[in-house]
Amino acid sequence: MDDIYGGHRPEMELVLDKLVQRVDDLRQSMALQSAFDPVDHILHRVKSEESMREKCRRKGLPETTEAALTKVYDALGLRIVCPFLSDVYALRDHIAASPDFVVVEERDYILHAKPNGYRSYHMILRSQEGYYAEVQLRTISMDTWAALEHHLHYKKHREGNQRLIVQELKRCADELASTDVSMQTLRDMILAEGD
Ligand code: 0O2
């Protein structure tokens, strides 16, 4: 089977490296200004062949290089995990102001959580070379929930349990969201005491 990204893979890797570097530069300058590192950790990946083909099929798109690069927007992906809610939004603002990438779409799943409780801030960026990248910004709590939810593989369960599982997952997500707000308040108090 041919590579769905055709001959674009090396250039895609370079664009992803540039995006990671850009975020790392922003992280360092923000940390210098505030004395707090706004990032806990960053993951990045080129979407796997199998996952891209599955997504094309799910969206009713042909499994072509053109569809993978211009109709699906997460061939390149960056996940930025931040300690606090304010870090997520501060980084979002800095990324949006970056000259190398244009923001083409944003979804605030923090303000508008998904029905199952999923929370994150998603940005779709387009590079100067024309490649799309999805940036997911989330707190450590949101990342913990998403990782655990992913491990459950609950979507395969039968109907009866499904409702209870979804309900409990939503409760856990809401509890973590409440913890995020409390942690933010504590951080703001500590910062204010330092003034
Ligand atoms: P991977 O392995 O993370 O790359 P969609 O049709 O939903 O797939 P779209 O429009 O990009 O496509 O949707 P969305 O929901 O804005 O963003 C999709 C990505 O967000 C997913 O990527 C996940 O990484 C993350 N995500 C969205 N909803 C959930 C959720 O309920 N639980 C978890 N754990 N993650 C979620 P992919 O493509 O699924 O795969």
Side-chain angles (χ1 to χ4, degrees), residues 59-167:
K59 289 188 171 288
L61 296 167
E63 293 174 47
T64 60
T65 304
E66 206 238 330
L69 296 183
T70 66
K71 304 280 194 294
V72 175
Y73 299 131
D74 68 342
L76 305 180
L78 193 65
R79 182 171 296 155
I80 307 171
V81 180
C82 304
F84 297 97
L85 277 167
S86 59
D87 298 323
V88 166
Y89 287 100
L91 258 172
R92 177 263 157 221
D93 291 347
H94 281 85
I95 292 170
S98 168
D100 313 333
F101 296 88
V102 176
V103 181
V104 293
E105 193 183 305
E106 290 180 271
R107 289 192 196 171
D108 189 345
Y109 294 125
I110 299 175
L111 207 54
H112 307 286
K114 288 197 172 190
N116 64 355
Y118 175 78
R119 286 172 171 82
S120 273
Y121 194 97
H122 288 196
M123 305 173 81
I124 305 293
L125 307 181
R126 191 175 57 240
S127 76
Q128 285 161 338
E129 299 81 355
Y131 294 102
Y132 291 94
E134 181 182 80
V135 177
Q136 299 179 348
L137 290 146
R138 51 173 76 153
T139 62
I140 294 170
S141 297
M142 293 170 198
D143 192 52
T144 301
W145 182 92
L148 290 170
E149 188 256 11
H150 188 70
H151 275 290
L152 283 177
H153 301 294
Y154 65 98
K155 282 162 190 160
K156 290 176 194 140
H157 278 242
R158 64 188 168 81
E159 187 56 30
N161 280 337
Q162 185 78 357
R163 261 199 300 277
L164 176 65
I165 293 167
V166 171
Q167 200 180 314

Side-chain angles (χ1 to χ4, degrees), residues 42-55:
I42 300 177
L43 299 175
H44 60 94
R45 56 104 183 100
V46 173
K47 199 174 187 72
S48 73
E49 178 89 27
E50 192 190 316
S51 175
M52 178 54 80
R53 286 186 183 276
E54 186 278 320
K55 190 155 187 169

